């Protein structure tokens, strides 16, 4: 297709200012500008966070997220619309956020920050703190996010195992299990970390049986997608002390409703779907878009093509 006009949809504002990305791409030999819903039809391609019905009229849609579960693949395919995503950029960003959660739990930082809000000097019990070195983390999903988590945790002395559809080894993971052996994979881990995309197969993959199989002193982390986890079963597991705690960046309903018990449970860290936020986000997305504009010119297959 002919690419003459690329729009940066204003929904990306939730992650970074759309004008930063439009400026970053302004040297491309095409028109690039920030657009609202009524300007979609005038574009050949859009870069976006959210989905809009009108995208089915353009030739190419690029998602600024790795997760593309909100886009209707069948309709894109039927209408010959190319969909690309932003996998490949979030490895260290999310890896460092996950390391932050684990360090908080091990060194009790979340408790001290909460106490500080109330000017309370309250030292932990002598046996509350532990060290990450020598612990095991089982990471569900061994792609970009999982590998970034493995790299950062590995540098802290954590032994990292992984779960993917097959048991094929992946660099950075000491052991890899197939999804069929999920219950066995989580049994000995102090940390179980979800970095999975949301698909028909992964929806509610983490359920009561998984929490039951985990150690009683284990922490659960989800930086993938909320519906991969049965949230009611997670809340039960936390309230019944089947597991020790959790750090959660993604939820079945976002924003997390005010009445959710997760806000107030001890040993639960809640972050607002921002595990990958960094000041460099728009540049990394821009580089993928730039690469694909050049591939389009030379007739090569798009990088990160999903549909
Ligand atoms: P990748 O495609 O690089 O990795 C996905 C991984 O999931 C692969 O290792 C794949 O392994 C595995 N996988 C897929 N389906 C299954 C299954 N049924 N059972 C077991 N493993 C499975 O994606 P990314 O790592 O870039 O991103 C993963 C997800 O993380 C995104 O889809 C998005 O939802 C979420 N995300 C969240 C962010 C946040 O801010 N919280 C930021 C970025 C991403 P294999 O193919 O070998 O089975």
């Amino acid at each position: 297709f002919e690419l003459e006009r690329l729009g940066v949809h204003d929904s990306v504002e939730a992650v970074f200012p759309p004008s930063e990305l439009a400026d970053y791409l302004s040297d491309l030999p095409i028109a690039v500008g920030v657009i609202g819903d009524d300007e979609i039809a005038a574009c050949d391609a859009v870069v976006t966070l959210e989905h809009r019905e009108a995208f089915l009229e353009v030739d190419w849609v690029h998602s600024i997220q790795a997760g593309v579960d909100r886009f209707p693949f069948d309709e894109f395919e039927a209408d010959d619309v190319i969909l690309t995503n932003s996998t490949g950029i979030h490895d260290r960003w999310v890896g460092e956020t996950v390391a932050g959660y684990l360090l908080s739990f091990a060194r009790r930082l979340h408790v001290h920050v909460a106490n500080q809000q109330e000017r309370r000097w309250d030292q932990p019990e002598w046996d509350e703190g532990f060290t990450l070195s020598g612990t095991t983390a089982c990471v569900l999903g061994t792609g970009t996010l999982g590998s970034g988590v493995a790299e950062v945790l590995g540098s802290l002395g954590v032994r990292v195992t992984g779960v993917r559809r097959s048991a094929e080894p992946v660099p950075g993971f000491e052991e890899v299990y197939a999804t069929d052996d999920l219950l066995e994979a989580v049994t000995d881990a102090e940390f179980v970390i979800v970095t999975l995309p949301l698909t028909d197969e992964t929806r509610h993959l983490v359920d009561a049986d998984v929490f039951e199989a985990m150690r009683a002193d284990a922490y659960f982390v989800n930086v993938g997608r909320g519906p991969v986890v049965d949230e009611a079963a997670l809340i039960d597991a936390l309230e019944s002390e089947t597991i020790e705690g959790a750090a959660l960046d993604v939820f079945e309903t976002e924003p997390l409703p005010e009445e959710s018990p997760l806000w107030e449970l001890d040993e639960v860290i809640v972050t607002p779907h921002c595990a990958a936020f960094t000041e460099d986000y728009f540049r990394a997305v821009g580089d993928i878009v730039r690469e694909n504009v050049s591939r389009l010119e030379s007739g090569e297959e798009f990088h990160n093509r999903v549909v």
Side-chain angles (χ1 to χ4, degrees), residues 153-216:
L153 294 185
S155 70
L156 291 165
V158 177
R159 178 178 169 270
V160 184
T161 65
V163 179
R164 62 188 300 205
R165 279 169 289 195
S166 74
E168 285 288 301
V170 183
F173 294 85
E174 278 197 25
E175 213 169 327
V176 174
Y177 297 83
T179 325
D180 289 346
D181 299 320
L182 177 58
L183 296 185
E184 186 196 335
V186 301
T187 312
D188 294 325
E190 280 90 349
F191 303 99
V192 173
I193 302 165
V194 173
T195 67
L196 290 168
L198 176 61
T199 65
D200 290 343
E201 292 88 58
T202 64
R203 187 176 295 274
H204 280 204
L205 181 68
V206 178
D207 58 10
D209 292 344
V210 174
F211 298 120
E212 206 56 58
M214 284 169 60
R215 294 166 53 131

Side-chain angles (χ1 to χ4, degrees), residues 10 85 89 126 165 189-190 211 226 270 272:
D10 55 15
N85 73 3
I89 63 175
W126 67 275
R165 279 169 289 195
E190 280 90 349
F211 298 120
V270 167

Side-chain angles (χ1 to χ4, degrees), residues 61-131:
V61 174
H62 179 77
S63 159
I64 66 161
Q65 293 189 315
V68 281
D69 44 271
R70 59 160 63 81
F71 296 95
F73 290 9
D74 294 353
E75 293 173 31
F76 272 63
E77 198 152 342
D79 289 359
D80 261 336
V81 183
I82 293 172
L83 176 65
T84 52
N85 73 3
S86 296
T87 188
I89 63 175
H90 309 94
D91 46 358
R92 294 287 304 198
W93 307 343
V94 174
E96 290 182 9
T97 301
V98 170
Y101 298 142
L102 268 51
L103 287 166
S104 285
F105 290 133
R107 313 307 306 152
R108 316 308 297 151
L109 302 181
H110 59 305
V111 178
H112 303 320
V113 171
N115 286 339
Q116 184 184 352
Q117 308 304 311
E118 298 175 16
R119 298 176 174 261
R120 196 164 62 229
W121 180 276
D122 197 0
Q123 291 186 319
E125 293 297 320
W126 67 275
D127 59 352
E128 272 185 57
F130 60 98
T131 177

